[in-house]
């Protein structure tokens, strides 16, 4: 079955350490997105990529980095520069076929806790 | 993208229709209305979207007013598994989705 896989589901990190969250999709979607969600809040956009080897900052990109070397993969690195990294991180993808083909497909998320 | 306004929470009895309203009074002509829902600790799930006509799929119906300033998502026979946060989003073209706090729908037995 096609879908988006995020791993790991739970992640613990010590302060000052970088950590990379994985996001893989086999939907042949062109665009991929990373969102962050804090308790009781909506989703906030971190980074997005419309095509391989290209990506743009979202609303809260500081302290994060991404790469898009393959269409299927869009890993997110949470660096030590991110002041409050503890959150629920969601990856999504979407085809570039236009509005008639529907919405985003989301992964099941990674819950990151800094200890 | 236009801003949306949704009630913070709603209740619905199991088996009854759940009608979730959304105001988007500043919507422009080429902006679509999208609905997603998020069950606790899971990724959001796409439900339905529309431009100006009413839409229906296997999950729900979307009713958009003639002036397009508001819409209603209808779950015709709500079940306990429909308990979730429902997000109404307005988007145009290839702009990214902006999620507000949504409406927490609680379906009770």
């Amino acid at each position: 079955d096609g879908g988006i896989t995020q791993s790991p589901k739970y992640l613990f990190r010590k302060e000052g350490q970088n950590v990379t969250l994985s996001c893989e999709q086999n939907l042949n979607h062109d665009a991929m997105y990373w969102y962050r969600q804090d308790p009781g809040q909506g989703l906030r956009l971190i980074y997005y990529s419309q095509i391989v080897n290209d990506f743009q900052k979202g609303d809260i990109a500081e302290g994060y980095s991404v790469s898009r070397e393959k269409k299927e993969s869009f890993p997110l690195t949470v660096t030590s520069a991110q002041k409050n990294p503890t959150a629920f991180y969601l990856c999504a993808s979407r085809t570039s076929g236009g509005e008639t083909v529907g919405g985003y497909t989301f992964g099941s998320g990674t819950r990151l806790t800094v200890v | 993208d236009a801003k949306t306004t949704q009630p913070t929470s709603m209740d619905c009895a199991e088996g009854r229709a759940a009608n979730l309203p959304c105001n988007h009074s500043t919507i422009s002509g080429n902006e679509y209305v999208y609905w997603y829902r998020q069950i606790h600790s899971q990724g959001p799930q796409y439900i339905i979207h529309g431009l100006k006509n009413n839409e229906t799929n296997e999950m729900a119906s979307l009713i958009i007013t003639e002036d397009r300033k508001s819409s209603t998502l209808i779950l015709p026979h709500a079940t306990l598994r429909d308990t979730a946060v429902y997000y109404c989003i307005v988007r145009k073209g290839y702009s990214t989705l902006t999620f507000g706090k949504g409406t927490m729908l609680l379906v009770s037995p």
Side-chain angles (χ1 to χ4, degrees):
Chain A
D1 287 335
I4 296 183
T5 301
Q6 289 188 244
S7 61
K9 191 171 180 65
Y10 298 95
L11 189 57
F12 295 87
R13 185 196 98 178
K14 290 184 179 179
E15 273 194 55
Q17 288 181 338
N18 293 354
V19 63
T20 298
L21 282 59
S22 170
C23 179
E24 304 277 335
Q25 54 99 358
N26 59 5
L27 299 164
N28 200 33
H29 284 174
D30 295 305
M32 297 186 74
Y33 307 81
W34 275 105
Y35 286 88
R36 168 185 172 137
Q37 187 173 34
D38 294 286
Q41 303 297 314
L43 283 67
R44 291 184 291 168
L45 182 65
I46 305 172
Y47 267 99
Y48 64 102
S49 168
Q50 304 276 29
I51 196 169
V52 174
N53 291 323
D54 187 43
F55 49 83
Q56 287 79 40
K57 292 181 179 180
D59 300 319
I60 55 164
E62 185 175 352
Y64 299 98
S65 65
V66 293
S67 63
R68 186 84 186 279
E69 298 176 0
K70 298 187 300 181
K71 188 175 185 179
E72 303 80 18
S73 179
F74 191 41
L76 173 74
T77 297
V78 184
T79 74
S80 56
Q82 169 49 235
K83 297 282 189 281
N84 299 296
T86 295
F88 188 45
Y89 290 88
L90 287 156
C91 179
S93 71
R94 182 182 185 275
T95 185
S96 60
E99 298 290 353
T100 57
V101 298
Y104 290 17
T105 301
F106 280 84
S108 56
T110 292
R111 192 167 297 280
L112 173 65
T113 303
V114 174
V115 298
Chain B
D1 293 335
K3 183 179 176 180
T4 62
T5 303
Q6 298 178 253
T8 302
S9 63
M10 293 184 65
D11 295 324
C12 179
E14 188 177 20
R16 305 296 295 267
N19 299 294
L20 290 89
C22 179
N23 286 322
H24 31 79
S25 58
T26 60
I27 193 170
S28 61
N30 58 352
E31 288 183 311
Y32 283 73
V33 179
Y34 280 78
W35 283 85
Y36 286 77
R37 72 180 183 184
Q38 185 177 24
I39 295 170
H40 183 61
S41 293
Q42 296 183 21
Q45 176 189 24
Y46 164 80
I47 301 174
I48 199 167
H49 76 288
L51 183 62
K52 60 177 84 171
N53 298 321
N54 297 337
E55 303 287 345
T56 296
N57 62 21
E58 65 277 6
M59 290 182 68
S61 294
L62 173 60
I63 308 298
I64 303 174
T65 57
E66 194 168 339
D67 63 7
R68 301 207 329 120
K69 293 185 177 182
S70 65
S71 61
T72 301
L73 179 74
I74 301 172
L75 308 178
H77 305 287
T79 71
L80 299 179
R81 285 182 292 183
D82 291 323
T83 292
V85 177
Y86 287 77
Y87 298 99
C88 170
I89 301 163
V90 173
R91 191 186 91 134
K92 62 182 173 186
Y94 292 107
S95 65
T96 57
L97 290 177
T98 300
F99 289 78
K101 295 186 180 180
T103 296
M104 176 65 216
L105 175 68
L106 177 61
V107 181
S108 304

